[in-house]
Amino acid sequence: GVLSLGLLSSALAPAPFYAFLEVAHFALLFVAAGIVASQVRRTPKWTQRAILGVVAVSGGLYAVYFAVGYGAHLAVADIKLWPDGGTNYGNIRLFNHYQTWTLPLLAGVFLTLPRRWRVGKALAFGLTVLWWALVFASNVRGTIVAMAVAAVGVGLLFRGRARKWLIVQGVGLLAGLGLYYLLFSTGEAPPVSEKFGRGSPRRLQHWSVCLEMMWTHPLLGAGPMHFAWPPYQFTEPASPHSTFFQWLAEWGIPSTMIMGGLTLWGGWRWMKQEREAESTAMDAPEDLGVALVASMLTGAAHSMVSGLTLAPLSQMLLV
């Protein structure tokens, strides 16, 4: 139903090529997710190791990049401090999206590694601490709020099973705050603390535009990828910074209702499965399910106030 509505909306959109392009892209992401799911069912143990390994290695590589840049900043006066000195991302918020997906999983890596792997566990916890320090340094609210939502969510879903994950994240947050003061601060509080005292008038303005688009095109929307098409937007922003409002404006009310229902139903079924699964039956450590659910909850919460579903890295991490 969603695919049919999307194709019909694309055919009637002002720029059909771009609309069809986005529908096809989402369809391919759906197929890719199905391939990953089938592989997890076929070889769960090795797939889990591969997924967590990719997360750990990618985080380690970025830690090396950050360390080299920080060392250059100390050695050369003209090189600015991270993130002003460069983040290796086109926009710092794209790096924050990456943190949103991986921060819960890094704690999962720490908890699932055997005790005898002390160096690996230390590196995983060190990455968790560094991730929190970079969250504070990058002045982002979305990741912090999303992590709070995930902490409450896994606490309610898993109760006692979530205790170790929550402790690791709590200690990592405090240690990350200390590392932030050590590396970035001259004594002031993280700048993000000032943001929490203010609202988001620009986002509210973007969302009101989405509601106007929905009112004008209630059944099929303005067309996929058409939030940034005249007469609505043509320069900035290209996204209203909310998956829900963007889908409502571009795909219409019926598609949004179906997708919302599928997301809530499918997400709850999957989280219930992870909550009730026995470690031996699923051939996976108990803490892995907590970390995966936390990552999904964090991504879902952050996508309500940011353009995660439009960012290629976030799309692949979701898959």
Side-chain angles (χ1 to χ4, degrees):
V2 171
L3 180 60
S4 299
L5 289 168
L7 292 173
L8 183 57
S9 176
S10 300
L12 300 175
F17 173 81
Y18 296 106
F20 280 121
L21 183 67
E22 176 145 294
V23 173
H25 182 67
F26 281 140
L28 288 173
L29 288 171
F30 185 82
V31 171
I35 294 171
V36 172
S38 65
Q39 189 62 35
V40 170
R41 288 169 180 259
R42 192 174 297 115
T43 55
K45 194 171 185 179
W46 287 104
T47 313
Q48 290 151 11
R49 289 176 179 176
I51 291 173
L52 292 179
V54 166
V55 170
V57 170
S58 66
L61 289 172
Y62 194 83
V64 171
Y65 171 85
F66 168 77
V68 171
Y70 195 87
H73 163 72
L74 296 178
V76 182
D78 292 337
I79 295 180
K80 295 181 179 180
L81 182 63
W82 191 98
D84 297 327
T87 63
N88 209 27
Y89 283 78
N91 188 306
I92 184 63
R93 292 297 167 250
L94 300 178
F95 174 69
N96 295 140
H97 295 172
Y98 169 59
Q99 289 183 296
T100 290
W101 292 107
T102 56
L103 185 51
L105 294 177
L106 288 174
V109 173
F110 171 80
L111 292 170
T112 55
L113 285 175
R115 286 189 176 182
R116 63 181 181 274
W117 291 24
R118 294 181 180 178
V119 175
K121 289 179 79 72
L123 290 173
F125 183 72
L127 283 174
T128 305
V129 173
L130 176 63
W131 251 221
W132 275 112
L134 297 183
V135 164
F136 294 125
S138 59
N139 194 19
V140 58
R141 282 180 297 185
T143 300
I144 296 175
V145 173
M147 282 295 294
V149 171
V152 173
V154 296
L156 294 173
L157 283 167
F158 294 97
R159 300 187 184 277
R161 276 180 59 189
R163 181 172 54 86
K164 288 188 288 185
W165 185 89
L166 291 170
I167 290 174
V168 170
Q169 288 295 350
V171 175
L173 186 153
L174 294 175
L177 187 60
L179 185 62
Y180 164 80
Y181 278 109
L182 179 65
L183 297 179
F184 297 99
S185 176
T186 56
E188 301 88 355
V192 71
S193 59
E194 299 178 4
K195 273 191 170 184
F196 281 104
R198 304 195 304 264
S200 299
R202 289 186 62 190
R203 274 184 173 78
L204 294 176
Q205 183 180 358
H206 303 334
W207 298 348
S208 67
V209 170
C210 290
L211 293 177
E212 292 174 12
M213 294 171 67
M214 177 207 69
W215 185 257
T216 307
H217 308 280
L219 295 179
L220 296 174
M225 214 191 296
H226 271 62
F227 177 80
W229 194 262
Y232 306 107
Q233 308 283 340
F234 197 53
T235 52
E236 290 184 356
S239 160
H241 300 288
S242 171
T243 298
F244 172 77
F245 281 104
Q246 181 149 14
W247 204 277
L248 195 64
E250 295 184 341
W251 294 65
I253 297 173
S255 180
T256 303
M257 292 177 65
I258 297 171
M259 280 298 294
L262 284 173
T263 302
L264 293 174
W265 171 77
W268 173 248
R269 291 277 295 180
W270 174 68
M271 289 187 290
K272 185 179 179 183
Q273 170 190 292
E274 292 297 323
R275 184 183 63 179
E276 296 174 353
E278 293 290 339
S279 176
T280 53
M282 295 298 290
D283 198 19
E286 285 188 351
D287 299 312
L288 179 59
V290 177
L292 286 170
V293 169
S295 181
M296 289 292 293
L297 287 174
T298 309
H302 199 173
S303 73
M304 293 297 102
V305 293
S306 189
L308 263 75
T309 49
L310 301 181
L313 180 59
S314 287
Q315 292 173 348
M316 295 311 299
L317 285 169
L318 173 58
V319 166

